Amino acid sequence: MAGGGGGGGGGAGPKHDDLTPHPVKDQLPGVSYCITSPPPWPEAVLLGFQHYLVMLGTTVIIPTALVPQMGGNNEDKAVVIQTLLFVAGINTLLQSFFGTRLPAVVGGSYTFVLPTISIILAGRYANEPNPHTKFLRIMRGTQGALIVASALQIIVGFSGLWRNVARYLSPLSAAPLVALVGFGLYELGFPSVAKCVEIGLPELILLVIFAMYLPHTVHVLKSIFDRFAVLFTIPIVWLYAYLLTVGGAYRNAPPKTQFHCRTDRSGLIGGAPWIRVPYPFQWGAPTFDAGEAFAMMAASFVALVESTGAFIAVSRYASATPIPPSVLSRGIGWQGIGILLDGLFGTGNGSSVSVENAGLLALTRVGSRRVVQISAGFMIFFSILGKFGAVFASIPAPIFAALYCIFFAYAGSAGFGFLQFCNLNSFRTKFILGFSVFMGLSVPQYFNEYTSVAGYGPVHTHSRWFNDIVNVIFSSKAFVAGFVAYLLDNTIHRHESSVRKDRGYHWWDKFRSYRTDTRSEEFYSLPFNLNKFFPSV
């Protein structure tokens, strides 16, 4: 009505439309294929392979760091990577069929590295003279701890306990959690690129050019460049790294530089068997130690919180509606089963939602469930055909780190996206948002700094498992930020009517129950009519 008057003075003032804020969106617009709409098969297969390549980084980096400390050789390392890949494929299929049904890749998790190192350093393995026997004993100890720790997520998820926690999550408390699920992994970005900057930096620059600039300059192949940017850039930089290696660029370089830069230093292709199917208890019967199980349980709880943030980011980039708490709880339960499988097969590591693959959904703008199920097929296929899988697994780590710079950033920015539902002019909102993000960065920084100087965490009592529990929990940036935001958001003036709007709580009202929005059925219902037997509430 009065809108026309503002811009009517001979075009002098801005049009009224220019001054209205961007409308709030339940579902992210601009996504080419959402959860239920798969791309054509050839494209889906290529996109699935791209997801497989992206998750390989974490799958290789973690065993590469842990297995030599356990006393294992290159053959052991290759088998552990194969096992981790095999179980990741199974877990991704389970999660996409029966869990949240989101296109989330479930793979190795850095959260479990700390308690695993604690098991490696345990006194009872110190006197073992034979490295291979030591490796087997530590691996069995890790398996036992993971089997016990999986019970936490299975119980919390399937009992519906996590559903009750998630019901109190508002866009305001979700924002810091999701943001730091991505941004909190900054140590794995440029610091790892810089370990071999001559191959890491070209990958980063090329990826930005292919994904962001080329689609707008070459209009004919617009969707090809941004959708397959990873498949274009990795071979180019990998070939360049190979030429540097063959050309003798690193002949006199220090061993550390050679390890990060050379394409023939991983020892995986020589160590990997041609064909091998991983099987449960392949390292022998698991051994159990109460203290180690408690420490692993703390990691399992932290992974549960981090995966909650990652699931929320994935649901956003798959253009789904906000994930109903009951569906989230179901997904956590299945993730617990995933950690149980990690323990049974002996991956040496637990599972959580892959943050880098959540970022890849954003880069490709393809949030299709089928694509991620195809990528799980690639994981299982290449884990059994060891030598072929090892070829891709020997891509130098700085190339993966360059991908992380973009994917972790995308995952983190999904968290910022939830601020559209909040009142950013409210001082309460500013305090909760700023304080939780700041503490999420600051507290783990103190724990990490202390550990790197002293060799142990700030909590250093005679009880080793108690130390591990506290140090694991407060070393996770996403956990600290999410916990602080959730606590403050649910305790500061919560019952005032204006506060309910400020925190964006009313926007998610219709998604708090599975039944209140018809779209929940479309995105999250179980296959094969299983909803009859396992109803979501």
Side-chain angles (χ1 to χ4, degrees), residues 57-68 77 80-81 84 347 349:
T58 304
T59 308
V60 173
I61 290 166
I62 294 174
T64 302
L66 292 178
V67 172
K77 183 168 76 175
V80 172
I81 289 171
L84 189 52
T347 60
N349 187 247

Side-chain angles (χ1 to χ4, degrees), residues 180 186 436-447 477 480:
L180 263 69
Y186 59 80
S436 56
V437 170
F438 183 85
M439 293 308 275
L441 295 170
S442 195
V443 173
Q445 176 70 15
Y446 164 68
F447 272 75
K477 300 170 183 71
V480 175

